Amino acid sequence: MDGYSPKRHDIAQLKFLCKNLHDESMVLLGDSHHGWVNDPTSAIHLQLNDLIEHIAAFVTNYRIKNPDDDNLAEQVDSYLDDTFMLFGNYGVTTQDLQRWQNSSERLFRMISEECAGGCLQPSHSLL
């Protein structure tokens, strides 16, 4: 994100990053054959944390650039917190999983509403 990109472009990039985080999270949940046990120190979890940090930095810049759109930024923050809580512990509880799923649904519904006016599709990854 730069200071000159339109808001709709920033939202499209945010959508792409959050979708990537969601997809990576689903892979981790699908790979769990040990009764919902995580290893927060594994390479894949560390990569997930790096992606969470990257999105958090992006949202900080988005918040500075769009101070009137705090609802979206707050929902992304909530989603990042719930994702970190889900994968930052050794065990995955049903409650944590449900909270993450609800947070994810709210975020993507909000992004879809924002994109109803026509978001651009990002042509490249920011990772």
Side-chain angles (χ1 to χ4, degrees):
M1 170 188 329
D2 61 35
Y4 302 105
S5 61
K7 181 178 176 180
R8 62 190 171 94
H9 185 265
D10 296 341
I11 291 172
Q13 287 181 329
L14 189 59
K15 178 182 179 181
F16 173 80
L17 290 170
C18 290
K19 177 72 170 120
N20 191 4
L21 177 60
H22 184 268
D23 292 346
E24 292 296 321
S25 299
M26 291 302 293
V27 167
L28 283 173
L29 287 171
D31 285 347
S32 179
H33 304 290
H34 308 94
W36 299 84
V37 175
N38 279 324
D39 178 6
T41 61
S42 71
I44 189 85
H45 280 84
L46 296 176
Q47 289 174 334
L48 194 71
N49 287 340
D50 287 344
L51 181 55
I52 289 170
E53 288 179 22
H54 179 74
I55 295 170
F58 188 92
V59 169
T60 299
N61 290 333
Y62 180 86
R63 197 176 248 133
I64 291 167
K65 188 176 168 185
N66 302 287
D68 59 325
D69 195 9
D70 203 40
N71 288 338
L72 180 60
E74 285 181 15
Q75 187 56 50
V76 173
D77 285 342
S78 177
Y79 175 65
L80 295 177
D81 289 345
D82 291 338
T83 302
F84 182 78
M85 290 303 294
L86 182 66
F87 295 103
N89 295 313
Y90 284 97
V92 175
T93 68
T94 304
Q95 182 182 9
D96 289 338
L97 180 61
Q98 187 64 44
R99 184 176 323 135
W100 176 76
Q101 288 172 328
N102 291 339
S103 180
S104 174
E105 289 171 12
R106 282 190 306 272
L107 173 62
F108 289 112
R109 186 174 33 250
M110 187 177 283
I111 288 174
S112 293
E113 290 169 3
E114 291 282 338
C115 285
C119 285
L120 301 172
Q121 293 299 321
S123 60
H124 63 283
S125 171
L126 298 176
L127 301 177

